[in-house]
């Protein structure tokens, strides 16, 4: 099982799409890109399996389960927001170079379309990481699909992935299940630490001034999450929305405005300035960044961060500060 502290962390593929916009040819690129190889053993055996993942959180789940037996590639380039990114024409055709395709249902239409087409072609194993996870009508949207923000729900997704890649490589099925169980222990510990922060908090409300991917925290931990933007990265806040948020900040004595590290965040800055609040980063684990978000040079991120890193480096510290947990 891969530890999150190991220097041999599998790195993600930074560019799958040619600059000209022409559909890329995956078969010719994988061998030339050192970031496409997620096998820490350095084994260059030609019989290695390749699995494509459709956004950063899923990519990390797959590589944690696959361990040394598979190359795991995130289709979303570094710096792109997983919810807003769309592949170039021809991408789905080229996915048949892989042995497996792991996706999230109802997250983005291209993923569902690709899964349907690949199943019809029957050449690779298609794995729905969300299988068996029930979406719910959150305060932000109906059928809120952001289950990976809940470390407990993630454990189901990880087991789904273990079963799926075992179909690709039955010989190492026991290893995949052992890796999944080990990683789920890390997710359980993460959940318990998150729960402890909320239990010790002086507040139970936060303001997120970018799109709202975080309502599964409301369901799991009881945090009230307010956003003037909504769930789409392309949504814009109206003056009335902003005024209502400003009133909530004053009513609840909120001292911080949070933002999604993967999005342009002028609203977060302007709102914080207007109410005299500080800004804090949150990650929905949908974007990998090499360096700092534009809004905040004090935050330093790495493109090979995994799910646990996003939570322990960004989310838990920010939630602790925003909810004034340290004051209890």
């Amino acid at each position: 099982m891969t530890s999150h502290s190991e220097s041999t962390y599998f790195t993600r593929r930074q560019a799958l799409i040619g600059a000209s916009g022409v559909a890329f040819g995956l078969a010719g690129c994988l061998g030339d890109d050192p970031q496409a190889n997620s096998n820490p053993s350095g084994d260059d055996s030609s019989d290695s399996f390749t699995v494509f993942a459709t956004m950063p959180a899923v990519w990390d789940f797959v590589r944690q389960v696959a361990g040394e037996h598979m190359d795991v590639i995130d289709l979303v380039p570094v710096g792109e927001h997983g919810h807003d990114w769309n592949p170039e024409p021809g991408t789905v055709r080229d996915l048949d170079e892989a042995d497996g395709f792991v996706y999230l249902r109802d997250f983005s239409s291209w993923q569902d379309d690709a899964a349907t087409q690949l199943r019809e072609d029957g050449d690779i194993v298609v794995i729905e990481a969300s299988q068996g996870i029930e979406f719910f009508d959150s305060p932000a949207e109906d059928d809120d699909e952001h289950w990976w923000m809940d470390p407990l729900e993630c454990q189901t997704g990880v087991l789904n992935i273990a079963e799926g890649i075992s179909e690709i490589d039955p010989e190492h099925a026991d290893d995949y299940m052992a890796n999944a169980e080990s990683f789920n222990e890390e997710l359980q510990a993460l959940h318990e630490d998150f729960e402890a922060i909320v239990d010790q908090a002086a507040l139970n409300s936060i303001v997120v001034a970018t799109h709202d991917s975080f309502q599964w925290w409301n369901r799991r931990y009881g945090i009230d999450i307010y956003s003037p933007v909504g769930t789409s990265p392309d949504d814009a806040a109206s003056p009335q929305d902003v005024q209502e948020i400003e009133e909530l900040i004053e009513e609840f004595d909120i001292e911080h405005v949070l933002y999604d590290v993967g999005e342009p965040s002028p609203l977060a800055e302007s709102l914080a300035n207007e109410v005299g609040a500080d800004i804090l980063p949150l990650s929905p684990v949908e974007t990998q960044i090499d360096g700092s978000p534009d809004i905040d040079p004090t935050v330093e991120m790495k493109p090979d961060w995994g799910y646990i890193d996003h939570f322990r480096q960004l989310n838990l510290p920010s939630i602790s500060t925003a909810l004034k947990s340290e004051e209890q």
Side-chain angles (χ1 to χ4, degrees):
M1 181 61 194
T2 304
S3 167
H4 291 277
S5 63
E6 289 179 356
S7 61
T8 55
Y9 229 169
F10 312 146
T11 53
R12 68 200 295 276
R13 182 171 174 77
Q14 292 194 25
L16 287 176
I17 300 174
S20 67
V22 177
F24 55 84
L26 297 177
C29 295
L30 295 182
D32 300 329
D33 187 349
Q35 292 191 321
N37 183 8
S38 66
N39 187 333
S41 68
D43 181 7
D44 293 329
S45 173
S46 61
D47 62 357
S48 179
F49 296 98
T50 299
V51 177
F52 289 135
T54 54
M55 52 90 76
V58 172
W59 165 72
D60 187 51
F61 297 160
V62 179
R63 68 176 183 162
Q64 295 300 329
V65 174
E68 65 182 11
H69 300 304
M70 294 186 176
D71 296 331
V72 184
I73 298 169
D74 186 357
L75 291 170
V76 181
V78 170
E80 295 284 348
H81 199 290
H83 212 152
D84 205 30
W85 180 80
N86 286 290
E88 294 288 334
T91 299
V92 175
R93 179 197 64 220
D94 290 324
L95 291 178
D96 63 9
E97 300 294 336
D99 300 285
F101 175 77
V102 186
Y103 79 105
L104 299 171
R105 78 171 188 272
D106 296 338
F107 177 65
S108 54
S109 59
W110 77 264
Q111 293 190 27
D112 293 302
D113 292 344
T116 298
Q117 181 174 330
L118 292 170
R119 285 192 179 104
E120 291 174 353
D121 293 344
D123 294 328
I124 72 173
V125 175
V126 177
I127 303 164
E128 181 194 334
S130 310
Q131 185 173 357
I133 298 175
E134 294 185 7
F135 304 161
F136 71 106
D137 294 344
S138 78
E141 64 174 324
D142 293 343
D143 288 327
D144 192 321
E145 77 281 6
H146 297 84
W147 57 266
W148 62 93
M149 297 312 297
D150 181 341
L152 289 187
E153 294 290 348
C154 286
Q155 295 178 38
T156 298
V158 167
L159 292 176
N160 287 337
I161 290 166
E163 292 178 3
I165 65 175
S166 293
E167 183 179 343
I168 298 170
D169 179 23
E171 181 180 350
H172 295 105
D174 289 345
D175 290 348
Y176 299 138
M177 188 54 64
N179 288 348
E181 291 173 354
S182 179
F183 185 58
N184 278 351
E185 290 177 1
E186 293 188 60
L187 291 171
Q188 181 67 32
L190 181 66
H191 158 69
E192 292 171 2
D193 290 345
F194 202 144
E195 199 170 44
I197 288 171
V198 175
D199 288 345
Q200 298 168 10
L203 300 178
N204 71 338
S205 301
I206 62 173
V207 167
V208 179
T210 45
H211 100 279
D212 186 358
S213 307
F214 306 97
Q215 287 294 338
W216 283 70
W217 293 349
N218 172 266
R219 186 189 200 192
R220 178 64 66 189
Y221 303 110
I223 302 172
D224 292 328
I225 302 164
Y226 300 96
S227 170
V229 178
T231 56
S232 171
D234 298 323
D235 285 349
S238 70
Q240 182 178 351
D241 293 332
V242 174
Q243 181 179 346
E244 290 176 357
I245 291 295
E246 291 176 352
E247 292 171 354
L248 284 170
I249 290 173
E250 181 177 356
E251 177 183 353
F252 297 139
D253 192 26
I254 292 173
E255 299 177 358
H256 300 87
V257 173
L258 297 100
Y259 68 95
D260 179 339
V261 293
E263 295 184 36
S265 310
L267 177 59
E269 288 184 298
S270 63
L271 183 58
N273 289 335
E274 184 68 25
V275 300
D278 295 323
I279 58 170
L280 291 172
L282 287 179
S283 173
V285 204
E286 296 181 30
T287 308
Q288 298 291 74
I289 294 175
D290 187 3
S292 302
D294 291 339
I295 191 175
D296 191 355
T298 67
V299 174
E300 186 72 19
M301 301 178 65
K302 296 181 179 180
D304 63 353
W305 272 6
Y307 182 88
I308 301 291
D309 296 307
H310 282 264
F311 269 72
R312 293 208 177 275
Q313 298 292 332
L314 297 180
N315 292 342
L316 293 194
S318 289
I319 289 295
S320 179
T321 300
L323 295 181
K324 302 182 180 181
S325 184
E326 70 278 6
E327 296 182 7
Q328 291 293 89

